[in-house]
Structures are given as structure tokens and as C-alpha cells.
Amino acid sequence: MAGALTYLSAQPLPAGTLVRVPLGQRELLGVVWEPPGQPAAADAATPNTLDPAKLRPIAAALDALAPLSASWRALISFAASYYQRSAGEVALAALPPQLRDLSSVQLARRLKKKAANLSKAQAAKVSHGTTSAACPEASPADHAPPDSPLTTPDLVALTPEQTQALDQFHAQSGPFLLFGATGSGKTEVFMRCTADLLAGSDSAQALVMVPEINLTPQLEERFKARFCAQYGEDAVVSMHSGLTPAQRLASWLAAHSGQARIVLGTRMAVFASMPHLALIVVDEEHDPSYKSQDGARYSARDLAVYRARLDGAKVLLGSATPSLESWYHSRPAAEGGRYLRLEMPSRVGANALLPLVRRVDMNHQPKGCVLSPPLLDAIGQRITRGEQSMVFLNRRGYAPVLSCADCDWKSNCPHCSAFRVFHKIDRTLRCHHCGFTERVPRACPDCGSLDIAPVGRGTERLEEQLALLLSDMRRPDGSAVRIARIDADTTKLKGSLESQLAQVHAGEVDVLVGTQMIAKGHDFRRITLVAAINPDGALFSSDFRSPERLFGLLMQAAGRAGRDASNTSRSEMWVQTFHPTHPLYETLKQHDYPAFAASQLVERQQAGMPPFSFQALVRADARTQEAAQAFLNSASSACDGLPELAPWREHITLYPAVPMSIQRVANVERAQMLLESPSRAALQRFLNAWQPTLHAMRSQPQCKGLLRWAIDVDPLLI
Ligand code: ADP
Ligand code: ZN
Ligand code: ZN
């Protein structure tokens, strides 16, 4: 592997062994990459015969741990090469940070303690009679006390659609795309697939991924309730950035040792070391959070599909609004589809219809009104019936900008090409890009006028306006209306989101206001009305993925309504829009994702956009916009003279460098350059061959002031 370093070791170490090695004055964590006796043989730049006298010995081998598997290393190598980073960087980012700090002695001690706990736990399980494998002559059922918490929970009877999806999952090898409406019982299918694969082997492991940390506690609860009785309390672990370093290490060790049978996690979990991986589930596979936005900009969803192939595991992607890439991959095999589509169009429960979509034509509403009278009326009816409503607006703060009526001063951020947002609660102007915060000025800083006012609205202002508009309404018991807001500002403290969600679930809230944070995934039972206040912006964005994201978000949001089949009144999804006849809203009204996807795919095909082409971005940060663009444009012009690029050059379109949409952040100028190709392989090889040129370009005089650059393969935000 390129970039690997060579060290001496007294005893032969198998590939995949974790080691501590000296580098300069420091000691670092490393992974033995090449099998012993073949130092860097694959790397043509390094002479095959290394002088042992010049090599340094490793400091220690963490050989209390089993070596990382060949397929794990293959995954890292692939991710590094595909996303144009070094394997060392990807490997280290994939390992828990605490592993870097522990000495081999500390690690061995920790493992010993774990093993002791484990054998205690197993002894306990056998005495409860739930591990038939460990104690074959005992019949588990005989020993389990009747109301023991360790008994397997009752399983619901599957719907015919769920049964069919499960049967297809077992009969075929996949990859699978579970295309199921919100509330169609996808999670139940994920759990059955997991249960069946785990039951089929003593060691099989499953990886279940969700896009947001916020969704892991809910999922963990469901999986623990289902699986811990049978497999033990430690069989289900989670992996996400909200864990403490010690928790992350514990989860990682449990997965690596095979003790954890189920790992639940966010995108980082795709790199979990799981020696007996049999299944990967990617829930809400369309969610942009699966794409990393710094370091190696990997897509955990795409890597999940690749990893499943490496490990011989099954992979199941699930969504009510799949990404157009996955949707296209799941077209019929006769047309070239590679994924098998499993369909569950109906919600669970006889009355559980999908919500009725209602569009409010804002052109015919009182000028400047935030909530149209009919929407307000509908929310009022819910309140008097004791039902909940959810109102969302994708902008937090009170107002996106403060402006002077006399001189046109605006609350620009001095460090960014963006406005600072007005937050009324602490009377600050805050930049959402660099964090720069100041108290709101009393008078206009430019002309001294006192007439400065908020323009536009965010969730904070919406909450205030709703409180005012609904102040006369009464709940069924005669008490006043309760409004709650959930967004990034109200959930900064650890545990605050959980407690706010608990209030909603307990029915202590009548109207929930928030950003897209509340639109995703949560299984609200009492919400019967969802309203999108001002979603039009995304219809006319320059980003070609914008309609796809909007449609997904609105379908998701609609999916929060009417999840309780016992509620007899039909739930509603309201959209306030100035473009009520826009085709996107027409297909939304029909809940017709396939029609929406078909029209988008036609447009994409005509324009040669993904999934009909492949893209990469090179981004550059510099002191000046000129330097950022000069770096990109010089690297681009250099392409034509380089023979190593020649075989791929004609398959690649290189666009000129442009400033990013928010051109300056924290006083750094940002530019980007788009590359496009009809061939994924050509784009890959081109980028690999081009990298040295990009590295060399740094030292060119016109690039003075360049701070950093990075390649983003399959970028999501253009
Ligand atoms: P999705 O993930 O597709 O939005 P969920 O799996 O969360 O849907 O299911 C929605 C609700 O329906 C959950 O409360 C779940 O417990 C329930 N449910 C799922 N499958 C069944 C079934 N076969 N019978 C009864 N209830 C079910
Ligand atoms: Zn002014
Ligand atoms: Zn700023």
C-alpha cells in the first residue's frame, strides 16, 4: 500500500495486528498492513530491499486483540482509494480514539476485565436457561420463570406486505432496497431480518445504521427489547459521536470481539470491526447525513453496499423516499438494475391512511400573513379535540437578518459572506457559519437610526406568533394552549432533546414548532396535522438535488402524522406555497414517490446528471478568492500536458473554478471546481493519477495564500 511505513518486529505479526510505533518523537497507533516478509512489495516507488539497520522497531504490539480482518482492511483500502485519502487516515479515523492512548498493558487489563464480566453474564444466562447452545440438555422454556424479564417478547403478526418482503429477503442475495411508506413497518422488517440471520448462526452479527444520533436511543430501545432477552444485555451496542471515549471503546471492543451481536450506529459505524458480519441495514438510506462532510468524505450508505460484498453479508437499504441513485439501481434487473426492490406501500393498521395533503395558495391569503387563516383554523380544531399539530420551518433563530429602514444597513457577518441571525431570546446577532456573536445594537451602527427591524422569520419568531394567534384557544379541559419548540437552539444541552420529545409523547404539547429536526423518524403517536410553512425556496435552488431533498423532507414530515391507527379522523399534511400547481406538490399530494422519481430521472438523464454521470469536486480554501481559484484552474490546465492522465482525460469534463455559494467563512475564501464523467472508473483513475499534480501545485507562486484543498467524490452539495 502506498504511504505505508516499515518497521521491525521481533516476532512475526499477522496482518491486521494493532501496534504502537515510533514516528519522530511521538508514538502512534498503527495497523500491520502487509503480511510479514513482504515489506511494501506492492509499492513500486520503494526499493524492495530495505536495510534492516535503518528500520526502527515497533514499540509494542496490541496482540491481546485479535487482528483486524482482511475484509476490514480491504474496506479501508477501498474507502481510502475511492475517496482520495490515505489508508492510514481512514483507518485511524475508523478506530475508537481511546485506542490511541492505551498502552498494550492497559488494553490487556481492560480486555481481561471484560472477559470476566462476560463469563459472569453467561453463567447467569445459563442459569436462566436462555442459552440452549451452552447447555443443550436443558430446555430453555422449562427454566425460565414465567414473568422473567428475559423471556422473548411477543411478536406481532406480520402484515402480508411485511411477510412478502421478508420472504424475498431470505430467498435472494440482494442488495435490497426496502421501499416502504412511512409507518409501513420497516423497522419491524429490519428486526425480523436481524433475528432470522442471528438465529441461523452462533456468531452472526448485524449492523443497523440510522442517519441521526437523535434517532439511536429510540431504535436502541426497540432492539434491546427484542434481542436482549435472548442474547444478553451486552448483545446490543451503539456507536456514534455522542458517546464518551470510554463508551466508544467499549462498544468497539464488544463488536470486534464478536460479543456484540448487534451494532446500532450513525455513519461512522460502517467502519466498525465486526468479524462475523451477516447483515447491514441502512435505515432512511436517502438521508444526506450518511455522507461525511470533512476528512474522508465517504458515503456510509455506499460503503455499506461495498462492505456487504466484501464480508459476504446481506445489505438492506430502507426508505419511503429513496435516493434517486438507489432508486435507479433498483429498477428491474432486465433494465440493468442491481438492487432488488422490496415494496411495502401501505401503512400498518386498517385505518392508518397516509395523510391528506392540502396546499394553501399563499397568493390568495392576506398579504404578509405567516400562517394562513385556513391553516390556523385547522390547528385550532386539533387543539379543541385534544390532538397535536406539528409546524415546521427550516430556519432557526428569530429572524435571518436585521435591517435598518433608513440606510439599508444589514446584519452582515464581518467574517463571512452571510447575514448574522437575530436571536431574540438573548438579544444577539449570531453567525451560523463562524459563530461570531454580538449583542444586538440599540441603533443602526451606520446611521444611528433606531428603526432597525427583523426581516423574515425563523422558528423562534414563529413560536412567538403562534402563541399570539392561538392565545384565545382552549384545550378540551379548558386550559391554555401549550406550544413547544425543538431546534438546534433548544436542544444544546445533553438530554434536552429527549426530555422535550418525552413531553410531546406524553401529550403535554399541543403545537410543536421546529426545524427539520422534528420531521425525521420520530414515532409520534398523537400528531394529526403537520404543516410546512414556507418550503418554496428549494423549488428554485441552483442545486440539482434540492427538489429531491425537499420531496423527501415533506414526505418524511407527512409521515409524522396519523401514526396511531386508532385515531379515526384522517390526518393532514398542509403545505403553504406560492406555487400550488408545481409538479413536486402534485406528486406529493398523491404520495407518489415513483412518479416524482421518474420525472426527476428524466431530467437528470437529459442533463447528464447523477445517477447518469459521476461527479467529484475539488474544493480550495485560501486567503484570497484569486488564490483559491488560481490553484484549481492551474491544476486543471496542467491536466492536458500530463501523459499519465491522457487515457482518462477525454472522458472527463472539467468545469472552471467558481466561488462556493457562501464564498467566505471565518475570513477564509472558498472556491470549488466540478469534474464530471459518464464513467465512474474513468473518474476514479483520473483522480488517482491527478492527485500528485494537485499536491505539487501548492508551491506555485499564483497559489500563494492557499490554505488547504480537498477532493469530494460523489458530492451531495454542489
Ligand atoms: P416505519 O419504520 O416503516 O415508519 P415502523 O416500523 O416504525 O414503521 O412501524 C410503525 C408502527 O407500526 C410501529 O409502532 C410498529 O410497532 C407498528 N407495527 C409494525 N409492524 C406491525 C405489525 N405487523 N402489526 C402491528 N403493528 C405493527
Ligand atoms: Zn442605518
Ligand atoms: Zn461569520
Side-chain angles (χ1 to χ4, degrees):
M1 178 193 63
L5 302 174
T6 306
Y7 289 88
L8 287 175
S9 164
Q11 80 268 36
L13 295 171
T17 307
L18 283 155
V19 289
R20 306 193 61 81
V21 294
L23 188 72
Q25 298 299 311
R26 293 177 301 161
E27 197 179 286
L28 302 176
L29 181 67
V31 180
V32 177
W33 213 258
E34 306 285 346
Q38 304 173 20
D43 189 349
T46 320
N48 264 335
T49 45
L50 288 163
D51 179 0
K54 293 199 179 123
L55 295 179
R56 297 175 76 178
I58 61 164
L62 303 182
D63 46 12
L65 281 177
L68 292 154
S69 69
S71 62
W72 187 86
R73 281 175 284 126
L75 174 70
I76 298 293
S77 293
F78 170 78
S81 144
Y82 188 79
Y83 295 105
Q84 309 291 321
R85 311 294 288 203
S86 79
E89 180 194 352
V90 177
L92 282 201
L95 294 169
Q98 235 187 21
L99 213 47
R100 284 173 228 170
D101 311 328
L102 291 182
S103 73
S104 53
V105 178
Q106 285 169 315
L107 186 68
R109 210 179 292 143
R110 199 162 292 202
L111 289 171
K112 216 161 145 190
K113 208 168 97 198
K114 235 179 143 48
N117 286 344
L118 183 62
S119 55
K120 244 188 277 164
Q122 267 169 354
K125 266 201 296 184
V126 171
S127 70
H128 279 94
T130 52
T131 10
S132 47
C135 190
E137 65 274 51
S139 154
D142 295 346
H143 290 258
D147 54 1
S148 153
L150 291 179
T151 47
T152 309
D154 286 338
L155 294 181
V156 293
L158 293 183
T159 65
E161 287 176 5
Q162 285 172 324
T163 305
Q164 199 193 358
L166 196 64
D167 288 348
Q168 283 179 282
F169 173 82
H170 286 309
Q172 310 274 334
S173 57
F176 303 93
L177 175 67
L178 178 58
F179 170 53
T182 51
S184 62
K186 293 187 289 297
T187 313
E188 183 62 38
V189 172
F190 298 154
M191 291 197 289
R192 295 292 178 107
C193 293
T194 305
D196 293 345
L197 289 184
L198 294 201
S201 133
D202 282 344
S203 56
Q205 294 176 297
L207 169 62
V208 181
M209 294 201 287
V210 286
E212 305 249 339
I213 289 186
N214 301 333
L215 295 172
T216 53
Q218 199 178 340
L219 193 74
E220 200 176 332
E221 207 175 290
R222 283 175 82 172
F223 271 79
K224 284 201 153 154
R226 179 70 58 93
F227 292 100
C228 284
Q230 195 177 355
Y231 295 102
E233 281 302 316
D234 300 331
V236 180
V237 300
S238 38
M239 228 177 249
H240 54 76
S241 60
L243 301 179
T244 65
Q247 289 170 325
R248 245 177 96 174
L249 179 63
S251 294
W252 188 86
L253 289 173
H256 178 66
S257 69
Q259 183 197 345
R261 302 291 298 274
I262 300 174
V263 174
L264 307 175
T266 51
R267 65 168 180 260
M268 64 158 68
V270 77
F271 292 117
S273 165
M274 300 177 70
H276 309 293
L277 188 64
L279 170 67
I280 310 180
V281 171
V282 185
D283 193 12
E284 312 290 5
E285 68 86 31
H286 63 280
D287 198 293
S289 308
Y290 283 119
K291 182 83 158 76
S292 168
Q293 293 299 341
D294 53 18
R297 293 165 187 241
Y298 63 91
S299 156
R301 181 237 301 153
D302 294 349
L303 285 182
V305 175
Y306 189 86
R307 180 172 188 178
R309 204 170 55 196
L310 283 174
D311 281 287
K314 287 194 171 184
V315 61
L316 177 56
L317 314 177
S319 177
T321 51
S323 63
L324 285 177
E325 282 80 1
S326 298
W327 183 253
Y328 184 62
H329 286 322
S330 72
R331 67 197 184 279
E335 294 166 28
R338 297 186 288 114
Y339 298 178
L340 187 69
R341 195 181 293 166
L342 313 176
E343 307 203 25
M344 302 203 303
S346 326
R347 277 189 158 184
V348 175
N351 296 324
L353 293 172
L354 283 164
L356 186 69
V357 175
R358 312 192 61 154
R359 291 159 290 182
V360 183
D361 185 348
M362 294 304 278
N363 298 298
H364 298 133
Q365 301 302 321
K367 204 168 171 298
C369 80
V370 186
L371 286 168
S372 57
L375 174 57
L376 202 60
D377 190 48
I379 293 176
Q381 287 174 23
R382 296 302 190 291
I383 294 170
T384 39
R385 290 208 298 262
E387 297 170 7
Q388 293 177 320
S389 303
M390 181 178 109
V391 181
F392 83 95
L393 175 65
N394 244 352
R395 180 175 270 165
R396 64 196 170 87
Y398 189 84
V401 56
L402 215 56
S403 168
C404 169
D406 289 330
C407 79
D408 214 27
W409 169 87
K410 288 194 171 57
S411 56
N412 288 304
C413 174
H415 310 297
C416 305
S417 46
F419 294 125
R420 279 177 299 164
V421 175
F422 173 41
H423 289 258
K424 192 174 179 185
I425 184 150
D426 54 1
R427 301 208 58 83
T428 53
L429 291 177
R430 274 188 240 161
C431 176
H432 288 184
H433 301 282
C434 73
F436 181 66
T437 303
E438 275 182 335
R439 280 194 63 76
V440 173
R442 221 173 272 283
C444 171
D446 283 1
C447 75
S449 162
L450 293 178
D451 196 3
I452 49 176
V455 180
R457 80 189 39 78
T459 45
E460 197 186 349
R461 191 176 197 180
L462 182 61
E463 180 190 16
E464 183 184 281
Q465 285 172 324
L466 267 169
L468 203 67
L469 291 165
L470 299 171
S471 58
D472 293 338
M473 298 295 309
R474 286 290 170 268
R475 312 179 59 235
D477 64 3
S479 59
V481 175
R482 292 163 308 182
I483 299 173
R485 169 165 60 95
I486 297 186
D487 57 28
D489 294 320
T490 67
T491 52
K492 271 192 214 122
L493 296 177
K494 202 172 160 54
S496 56
L497 177 66
E498 288 80 357
S499 63
Q500 290 177 57
L501 288 174
Q503 281 185 349
V504 180
H505 289 302
E508 287 165 23
V509 168
D510 305 306
V511 183
L512 176 63
V513 178
T515 52
Q516 61 174 350
M517 194 185 258
I518 55 173
K520 285 187 190 177
H522 300 287
D523 194 12
F524 296 119
R525 313 298 301 180
R526 299 162 187 257
I527 289 180
T528 58
L529 181 150
V530 172
I533 296 304
N534 184 16
D536 283 346
L539 296 177
F540 309 103
S541 160
S542 60
D543 184 341
F544 70 91
R545 281 197 177 82
S546 189
E548 177 184 352
R549 278 196 295 271
L550 176 63
F551 190 85
L553 180 63
L554 293 176
M555 287 279 278
Q556 273 291 310
R560 297 317 101 209
R563 296 178 70 83
D564 188 352
S566 66
N567 212 319
T568 44
S569 62
R570 178 134 188 218
S571 59
E572 293 178 356
M573 161 88 195
W574 287 61
V575 178
Q576 294 195 146
T577 170
F578 288 94
H579 306 274
T581 57
H582 193 285
L584 188 145
Y585 296 134
E586 292 286 349
T587 48
L588 180 74
K589 188 172 169 54
Q590 311 297 328
H591 300 280
D592 196 348
Y593 171 81
F596 170 76
S599 72
Q600 284 288 307
L601 285 174
V602 168
E603 279 181 31
R604 299 257 187 113
Q605 187 159 29
Q606 283 166 354
M609 301 273 200
F612 302 96
S613 71
F614 300 89
Q615 297 181 326
L617 281 177
V618 190
R619 300 184 202 263
D621 286 356
R623 298 260 171 248
T624 63
Q625 184 62 221
E626 293 69 43
Q629 293 193 20
F631 165 76
L632 297 170
N633 288 330
S634 319
S636 170
S637 337
C639 287
D640 295 321
L642 296 172
E644 63 270 31
L645 294 181
W648 328 113
R649 181 68 188 89
E650 63 174 310
H651 305 290
I652 312 287
T653 309
L654 274 152
Y655 292 88
V658 292
M660 285 180 62
S661 63
I662 296 174
Q663 167 175 343
R664 189 167 50 100
V665 168
N667 296 318
V668 170
E669 289 285 339
R670 314 183 313 159
Q672 66 184 26
M673 182 163 70
L674 180 65
L675 286 79
E676 220 167 52
S677 173
S679 154
R680 194 194 280 273
L683 183 60
Q684 270 305 301
R685 300 208 171 106
F686 180 86
L687 288 171
N688 280 326
W690 191 34
Q691 268 226 41
T693 311
L694 284 158
H695 282 286
M697 205 50 75
R698 261 205 114 105
S699 50
Q700 299 282 312
Q702 73 273 26
C703 305
K704 195 168 173 299
L706 181 77
L707 296 168
R708 58 195 155 253
W709 59 272
I711 298 178
D712 187 350
V713 179
D714 304 329
L716 276 190
L717 299 167
I718 305 256

